[in-house]
Amino acid sequence: ITACFHSSDLTTTKRGKAGAVKVNFNAYGGVQKETKRMSLLDGPSWGALVNEARTNVGMQPYFANPSTLPTTDWQDVIFRSAAIQNYDLSLSGGNDKTQYLVSGNYFDQKGVVIGSGYNRASFRINLDQKINNRLKTGVNLNISRAKTDRIDAGSNSGIVSAAIIKSPAVPLYKEDGTLNPID
């Protein structure tokens, strides 16, 4: 699973400067994928291996005809190509007495495991006012909202482990049309 870390301009204490209005806009986007998939057996190969293991210990084969077993790649079920995007916009300026910086950021990262992701929006205002040669005042306002969709993906009991150890001979859908659980 890939990870992306981003340090936004909004996390630093930038200040407005006297002068004309300065506008900055930065954006990027991309697509993330899992870094590696396990090479797993298909349904017929798995069924043949189960039959061989059973006969090796004196038991009857479980599947009469393993070549007819379906194949479900559970990694295809849980992984996706996941979009990532980031937008930063700032306005700054002022005069010799008043300087300002107003900025906003939007970050959206879909997780490579379906159902996971991270989304953040933030807004910042820095306002500095010179009252006289000895007195200066300022206001810093930061507003942020973040949402994280988490899935247990890294532990031995997580969804990635389940996708690797689940039988490929189990079809994605049950006979009644409902999804077979992955765990």
Side-chain angles (χ1 to χ4, degrees), residues 80-132:
R80 66 178 170 190
S81 294
I84 182 171
Q85 57 185 328
N86 186 72
Y87 304 95
D88 289 305
L89 175 65
S90 68
L91 303 160
S92 63
N95 56 39
D96 61 338
K97 291 195 177 247
T98 305
Q99 295 90 41
Y100 63 89
L101 179 125
V102 178
S103 61
N105 170 263
Y106 176 75
F107 177 78
D108 187 44
Q109 179 180 29
K110 305 295 183 211
V112 294
V113 175
I114 293 173
S116 67
Y118 178 74
N119 181 281
R120 177 189 68 234
S122 55
F123 178 74
R124 171 182 222 140
I125 296 175
N126 291 340
L127 178 63
D128 295 313
Q129 178 69 44
K130 183 178 178 183
I131 297 173
N132 59 39

Side-chain angles (χ1 to χ4, degrees), residues 128-163:
D128 295 313
Q129 178 69 44
K130 183 178 178 183
I131 297 173
N132 59 39
N133 287 338
R134 297 172 135 192
L135 188 58
K136 182 178 176 181
T137 186
V139 173
N140 296 323
L141 174 66
N142 295 299
I143 299 171
S144 182
R145 180 208 48 83
K147 179 183 177 208
T148 303
D149 295 319
R150 295 179 187 213
I151 291 182
D152 182 9
S155 71
N156 288 338
S157 62
I159 194 158
V160 175
S161 293

Side-chain angles (χ1 to χ4, degrees), residues 15-75:
R15 314 301 302 174
K17 295 180 181 174
V21 175
K22 184 177 177 184
V23 177
N24 285 314
F25 178 75
N26 294 304
Y28 70 81
V31 177
Q32 304 170 108
K33 289 188 62 103
E34 71 280 0
T35 56
K36 184 175 181 179
R37 285 193 182 201
M38 300 292 293
S39 178
L40 303 173
L41 295 174
D42 62 11
S45 299
W46 180 85
L49 187 64
V50 167
N51 281 352
E52 182 179 335
R54 290 176 63 91
T55 56
N56 284 345
V57 294
M59 297 173 70
Q60 291 295 318
Y62 187 80
F63 300 104
N65 187 0
S67 65
T68 62
L69 292 173
T71 297
T72 301
D73 185 337
W74 293 100
Q75 294 173 102

